[in-house]
Amino acid sequence: MVDSLGVAVVGFGWMGRVHSQAYARLPHHYPRLAVRPRLVTVAEEVPGRAEEAAAQFGFDATTRDWRAVAADPRVQAVSITAPNFLHRKIGVAMAEAGKHIWIEKPVGLTVADAQAVADAVAKAGVQGAVGFNYRNAPAVEAARELIASGEIGTVTHVRVRLFSDYAAHPDGALTWRYEKERGGSGVLGDLASHGADLARYLLGDIASLTADTAVFIPERARPTGATAGHTLATGGELGPVENEDYVNCLLRFASGARGVLEACRVSVGEQNNYGFEVHGTKGAVFWDFRRMNELGVSRGTSYQDQPVSTVYVGPGDGEFGAFQPGAANAMGYDDLKVIEAYRFLRSIAEGVPHGATLQDAVHSAAVLDAMVRSARSGAWVDVAPEA
């Protein structure tokens, strides 16, 4: 017997759409999942957008006020895909209302915000999942197992990169993403949060770091109407970009390994160039999101002139088998969110967490907070995962 689980989505921009699609696809990829999501309501303050979502995905109801979701007894789990500055308020309110939450990163604007949501989830005894989707790639999970097995020896250093051009156009609208009050940090929250999570997921805790940040497009035009995604705007009043376009960071891990994390949202010529290279005393492993289902692996006893082999992930690697029958069949970005939805609902069904948790969000936020402090002081700073 499969139980029905009432779910809601708060915020219906691009990510709200991705969450809704993930819920809709779950029965196809995970037919034996003990709970089946039922789309109860969608909350979105932009006029007409919630109604559009309901018509497309079959939500039972719509609202412009997320508080109505917290008060709705039909809703047992909530996706929080609203802008960053609302994450703490909505996350805490939903947990206090007894709702399980799947919340996008970064969880609020600061490590204190992430900790507040984590505390509310723990106190309420509900499950909390976080949108660190790249760790769900079967190749990333395979890389983690390979590293843990010692096949590449003791890890010496890692480079994590996240380069994109989504904010490269100088006519990109001055949306909430570029304001500290509503967006918090810029590329730190957008991309470096993923990098911090990936680095920790692969190699363990980050102990200390030193960082440098920069704003390369200092002014943008204010939009004259509602925006979605990365809208262009011309002719509007210019305003300042208040948060970072770029960050580079040197990392020291608790294990003794060293690392480099670099992220940029204005990299012309780069589209989702995300990945990592992990080097050990006997080998190395490489991953590029644009070739999501492949790993470059160097292992053996040659040390010098040791070749790199391309390994295609397949059934048996992470959740690959839920999507494709054999190695080298492609998976895509949206599949990672289906995996995330599956792990969220499995956590609810079993009462124990599967996948990224609110504590993972606290650790990522602590790294971002340390980056901000280091960039301001120009010094090495310790990473403290407490608010």
Side-chain angles (χ1 to χ4, degrees):
M1 176 96 180
V2 176
D3 294 328
S4 176
L5 185 81
V7 302
V9 174
V10 175
F12 201 78
W14 170 62
M15 190 52 66
R17 185 178 301 274
V18 171
H19 277 231
S20 301
Q21 290 171 173
Y23 286 128
R25 291 177 57 192
L26 272 178
H28 302 285
H29 296 283
Y30 298 98
R32 288 183 288 277
L33 183 62
V35 293
R36 181 159 296 188
R38 181 171 64 87
L39 299 179
V40 173
T41 189
V42 55
E44 170 56 60
E45 65 178 13
V46 176
R49 194 178 284 174
E51 289 73 17
E52 175 191 340
Q56 182 175 2
F57 292 100
F59 287 94
D60 294 339
T62 65
T63 180
R64 292 183 64 181
D65 186 352
W66 61 263
R67 295 169 186 83
V69 174
D72 191 336
R74 299 172 301 165
V75 175
Q76 297 156 284
V78 181
S79 279
I80 300 171
T81 56
N84 299 348
F85 69 98
L86 293 171
H87 284 189
R88 176 174 181 166
K89 182 184 294 186
I90 298 174
V92 169
M94 294 301 174
E96 289 178 345
K99 319 292 188 188
H100 306 284
I101 64 171
W102 175 15
I103 188 168
E104 277 303 317
K105 41 55 62 186
V107 180
L109 306 184
T110 65
V111 66
D113 287 350
Q115 188 68 62
V117 180
D119 289 345
V121 164
K123 183 177 180 180
V126 296
Q127 295 297 318
V130 181
F132 290 127
N133 42 267
Y134 298 109
R135 63 155 63 189
N136 297 323
V140 173
E141 295 189 84
R144 186 175 189 244
E145 291 182 5
L146 185 148
I147 293 165
S149 73
E151 284 197 58
I152 64 169
T154 301
V155 172
T156 53
H157 60 100
V158 60
R159 184 169 76 100
V160 181
R161 69 186 186 284
L162 300 107
F163 299 142
S164 188
D165 64 356
Y166 66 80
H169 202 299
D171 291 336
L174 188 69
T175 64
W176 61 267
R177 290 184 179 277
Y178 303 100
E179 301 174 0
K180 285 189 176 179
E181 184 177 351
R182 296 194 296 165
S185 58
V187 75
L188 271 67
D190 280 355
L191 295 180
S193 57
H194 280 299
D197 181 69
L198 276 175
R200 179 171 171 266
Y201 182 68
L202 294 169
L203 303 185
D205 286 343
I206 298 167
S208 61
L209 58 81
T210 183
D212 182 37
T213 63
V215 178
F216 296 135
I217 301 179
E219 290 186 320
R220 295 180 183 271
R222 300 185 187 279
T224 56
T227 61
H230 304 289
T231 306
L232 299 185
T234 56
E237 178 188 358
L238 292 178
V241 172
E242 298 175 349
N243 51 32
E244 312 84 357
D245 287 331
Y246 171 83
V247 60
N248 69 67
C249 187
L250 298 179
L251 310 171
R252 291 174 180 163
F253 291 84
S255 67
R258 298 297 194 261
V260 177
L261 192 162
E262 189 176 15
C264 185
R265 65 187 180 186
V266 297
S267 296
V268 175
E270 300 281 13
Q271 296 86 40
N272 299 323
N273 182 358
Y274 309 152
F276 55 75
E277 301 102 46
V278 181
H279 294 266
T281 53
K282 296 195 298 183
V285 60
F286 310 90
W287 181 70
D288 186 326
F289 169 65
R290 297 164 300 177
R291 304 175 71 91
M292 193 176 85
N293 306 291
E294 301 177 15
L295 285 177
V297 180
S298 178
R299 52 190 163 191
T301 57
S302 299
Y303 298 100
Q304 284 184 297
D305 302 322
Q306 186 163 285
V308 177
S309 300
T310 298
V311 176
Y312 298 100
V313 294
D317 294 312
E319 294 295 326
F320 187 94
F323 297 85
Q324 298 294 346
N329 284 288
M331 290 176 61
Y333 175 88
D334 286 0
D335 297 329
L336 302 183
K337 302 307 278 191
V338 176
I339 295 171
E340 209 164 273
Y342 161 67
R343 289 174 170 164
F344 175 44
L345 267 63
R346 184 182 173 194
S347 299
I348 295 170
E350 298 179 4
V352 294
H354 296 277
T357 68
L358 267 299
Q359 283 305 313
D360 293 314
V362 171
H363 281 280
S364 176
V367 173
L368 303 189
D369 178 75
M371 289 181 187
V372 172
R373 289 186 284 116
S374 175
R376 187 183 301 128
S377 68
W380 281 88
V381 298
D382 292 335
V383 176
E386 298 84 17

